């Protein structure tokens, strides 16, 4: 069984592999073998996070095209704070995250939908951050969360909806985004029954800010609640 002390060793391995040459490409078979060595059901969280940060993230950030199935399989079934701290938050907060990176985390969700507790923890972490905002790139990722994890608390829904409102009201490009409108529609359709009056009012404000043709669909879904 690996101990927490091994996390430093994993970080060092990752530094040696990627620190000197950002263009290095590890074969899928090597990544798979490393994953099978370090990630098991009884692997402590600190080691899991260290492994993802040291080995998986450099590969993900180096993607120029969509990830292979082998790379996706390395994190299959991973849940909880290790997934949030190790993969999701670094990718979502990074300014280096483009289409391949967002596609990777979205496909992770499709193969292993987040549990309600993991989804709530992630959304709360983002909603309480002044450095994060919803945009055209990450909206499909959140749409997948709400479509697959509808059991989210009213408090979390309000916090995340407030973040959407701040994003669309401050950025006209976000307000015009079809992907952001699709996210708003998914939340209303999947979670609308849990809306309290304050959340409904927040969504009314969101609808007024949306500039895509889908704003009318969001408004119609909201009025059906």
């Amino acid at each position: 069984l690996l101990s927490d002390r091994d996390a430093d060793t994993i970080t060092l391995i990752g530094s040696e592999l990627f620190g000197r040459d950002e263009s290095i490409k590890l074969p899928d078979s090597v990544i798979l073998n490393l994953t099978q060595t370090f990630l098991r059901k009884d692997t402590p969280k600190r080691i899991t996070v260290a492994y993802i940060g040291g080995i998986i993230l450099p590969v993900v950030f180096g993607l120029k095209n969509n990830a292979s199935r082998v790379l996706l399989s390395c994190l299959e079934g991973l849940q909880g704070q290790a997934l949030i701290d190790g993969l999701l938050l670094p990718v979502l907060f990074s300014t280096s995250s483009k289409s391949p990176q967002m596609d990777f985390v979205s496909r992770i969700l499709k193969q292993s939908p987040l549990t309600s507790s993991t989804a709530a923890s992630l959304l709360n972490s983002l909603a309480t951050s002044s450095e994060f905002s919803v945009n055209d790139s990450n909206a499909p990722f959140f749409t997948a969360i709400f479509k697959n994890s509808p059991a989210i608390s009213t408090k979390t829904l309000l916090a995340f909806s407030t973040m959407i409102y701040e994003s669309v009201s401050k950025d006209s490009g976000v307000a015009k985004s079809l992907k952001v409108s699709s996210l708003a529609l998914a939340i209303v359709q999947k979670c609308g029954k849990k809306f309290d009056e304050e959340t409904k009012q927040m969504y009314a404000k969101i609808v007024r800010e949306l500039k895509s043709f889908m704003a009318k669909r969001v408004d119609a879904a909201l009025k059906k609640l």
Side-chain angles (χ1 to χ4, degrees):
L1 177 65
L2 294 170
S3 69
D4 280 355
R5 290 178 300 177
D6 294 302
D8 296 330
T9 301
I10 296 172
T11 301
L12 180 61
I13 292 172
S15 177
E16 288 296 315
L17 285 173
F18 300 102
R20 298 175 184 174
D21 185 358
E22 294 181 355
S23 65
I24 190 171
K25 303 294 182 184
L26 288 182
D28 283 351
S29 58
V30 173
I31 299 173
L32 183 60
N33 286 335
L34 285 170
T35 300
Q36 292 172 341
T37 298
F38 289 111
L39 292 191
R40 299 190 291 267
K41 290 183 179 180
D42 57 358
T43 300
K45 174 195 165 186
R46 183 170 177 238
I47 290 181
T48 300
V49 172
Y51 177 77
I52 295 174
I55 306 297
I56 300 295
L57 276 181
V59 176
V60 172
F61 284 128
L63 291 173
K64 303 300 182 184
N65 299 296
N66 291 345
S68 67
R69 292 183 179 180
V70 173
L71 183 58
L72 285 165
S73 69
C74 290
L75 300 179
E76 187 172 0
L78 186 65
Q79 290 283 343
Q81 207 62 39
L83 175 63
I84 294 172
D85 294 343
L87 177 70
L88 300 182
L89 290 181
V91 170
L92 290 169
F93 273 103
S94 176
T95 56
S96 300
S97 292
K98 306 298 182 183
S99 180
Q101 288 72 40
M102 293 310 304
D103 175 78
F104 179 77
V105 293
S106 295
R107 289 169 68 190
I108 287 290
L109 291 193
K110 289 180 180 179
Q111 74 175 13
S112 301
L114 298 183
T115 62
S116 296
S117 60
T118 301
S121 180
L122 173 64
L123 295 176
N124 282 325
S125 296
L126 296 171
T128 56
S129 171
S130 60
E131 301 176 4
F132 188 80
S133 61
V134 174
N135 56 46
D136 189 76
S137 176
N138 60 38
F141 170 79
F142 293 112
T143 300
I145 288 181
F146 282 100
K147 283 186 175 181
N148 293 304
S149 305
I152 296 171
S153 71
T154 300
K155 182 179 179 180
T156 300
L157 287 170
L158 176 59
F160 194 79
S161 299
T162 300
M163 186 172 66
I164 294 177
Y165 171 71
E166 292 175 350
S167 299
V168 298
S169 63
K170 293 178 181 178
D171 190 325
S172 60
V174 176
K176 295 175 183 177
S177 169
L178 287 175
K179 294 176 182 178
V180 172
S181 292
S182 295
L183 167 60
L185 181 61
I187 296 174
V188 174
Q189 291 178 333
K190 290 291 184 178
C191 307
K193 292 181 179 179
K194 289 191 173 184
F195 283 8
D196 57 14
E197 193 59 36
E198 189 175 3
T199 307
K200 288 181 181 179
Q201 291 176 3
M202 181 59 66
Y203 261 87
K205 292 169 65 176
I206 291 172
V207 169
R208 289 195 292 270
E209 294 292 338
L210 292 176
K211 306 303 180 186
S212 80
F213 71 87
M214 287 190 65
K216 292 183 178 179
R217 291 186 61 187
V218 181
D219 187 40
L222 186 62
K223 289 177 178 177
K224 290 180 180 179
L225 299 179

